[in-house]
């Protein structure tokens, strides 16, 4: 009887340990040009486990033995789904999406497509900033766009400036 009990316990532990095994998968994710992609999401199909790629595009994830598929996704790239098989190293090349984002206008209280905006707009070219001999963004913005007010209300040298956009008073008064 004792021998049967010990055999049953040993068999039970071996089955449980085989069922609960995990494996570590590693790899590197690049774009079509071979450039490592930072921050790619690597997840199991159910989304319960996941990780992100590091600065070199490398990842490492521990998954249970019953996981058969990983999903790789990144902004502006087509998602990739890879069957694991017996592999321990899985390198992926993500392909850029053919559709590009349309131009978006960021307003003081949301975003809209450019063609949907009916109000006056101002555009400041960032190349202009490189030619200016100023040390701060508030000095570079001042006088460059209609309706943009950059002031230093206190007159103190190290005081943060106040930047106001036309129409802000209709939404809130701002803080002093």
């Amino acid at each position: 009887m004792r021998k049967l009990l010990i055999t049953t316990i040993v068999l039970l532990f071996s089955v449980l340990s085989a069922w609960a095994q995990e494996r570590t998968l590693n790899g590197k994710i690049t774009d079509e040009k071979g450039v490592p992609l930072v921050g790619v999401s690597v997840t199991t199909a159910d989304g319960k486990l996941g990780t992100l790629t590091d600065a070199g595009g490398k990842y490492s994830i521990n998954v249970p033995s019953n996981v058969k598929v990983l999903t790789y996704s990144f902004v502006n790239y087509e998602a990739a789904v890879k069957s694991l098989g017996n592999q321990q190293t899985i390198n992926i090349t993500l392909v850029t999406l053919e559709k590009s984002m349309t131009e978006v206008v960021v307003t003081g209280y949301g975003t809209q497509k450019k063609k949907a905006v009916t109000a006056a707009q101002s555009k400041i070219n960032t190349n202009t900033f490189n030619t200016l001999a100023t040390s701060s963004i508030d000095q570079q913005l001042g006088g460059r766009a209609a309706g943009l007010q950059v002031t230093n209300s206190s007159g103190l040298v190290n005081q943060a400036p106040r930047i106001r956009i036309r129409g802000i008073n209709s939404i809130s008064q701002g803080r002093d």
Side-chain angles (χ1 to χ4, degrees):
M1 179 67 177
R2 186 171 186 210
K3 208 176 209 184
L4 179 63
L5 182 62
I6 291 173
T7 305
T8 305
I9 291 173
V10 169
L11 186 60
L12 181 63
F13 279 122
S14 65
V15 169
L16 287 176
S17 66
W19 182 58
Q21 282 183 345
E22 285 190 350
R23 63 181 177 161
T24 302
L25 300 170
N26 302 299
K28 184 174 182 179
I29 302 176
T30 58
D31 65 7
E32 300 104 325
K33 297 175 184 173
V35 178
L37 295 174
V38 181
V40 175
S41 175
V42 181
T43 59
T44 55
D46 61 6
K48 290 183 180 179
L49 297 173
T51 189
L52 297 174
T53 57
D54 64 12
K58 296 179 181 178
Y59 71 94
S60 179
I61 185 170
N62 294 325
V63 295
S65 59
N66 63 342
V67 171
K68 305 295 182 207
V69 174
L70 286 181
T71 302
Y72 303 84
S73 59
F74 194 54
V75 175
N76 209 30
Y77 287 85
E78 291 182 22
V81 178
K82 183 73 173 175
S83 295
L84 304 180
N86 292 328
Q87 301 176 52
Q88 291 182 334
T89 302
I90 302 173
N91 297 322
I92 299 288
T93 300
L94 292 181
V95 178
T96 306
L97 285 172
E98 292 297 322
K99 296 180 182 178
S100 61
M101 187 185 305
T102 58
E103 192 166 347
V104 173
V105 176
V106 178
T107 60
Y109 41 86
T111 60
Q112 298 176 359
K113 288 188 176 183
K114 186 175 181 180
K115 66 181 182 182
V117 177
T118 58
Q121 300 176 29
S122 292
K123 183 176 183 178
I124 301 172
N125 190 340
T126 56
N127 294 333
T128 307
F129 293 156
N130 297 332
T131 61
L132 299 175
T134 58
S135 61
S136 65
I137 190 72
D138 58 294
Q139 292 173 350
Q140 292 176 349
L141 287 174
R144 301 262 180 240
L148 182 68
Q149 298 173 348
V150 181
T151 59
N152 188 341
S153 59
S154 68
L156 299 175
V157 176
N158 291 330
Q159 187 70 24
R162 171 184 279 171
I163 300 175
R164 287 187 171 223
I165 299 172
R166 174 182 43 219
I168 195 73
N169 289 334
S170 65
I171 297 169
S172 68
Q173 282 296 326
R175 295 185 181 150
D176 289 329

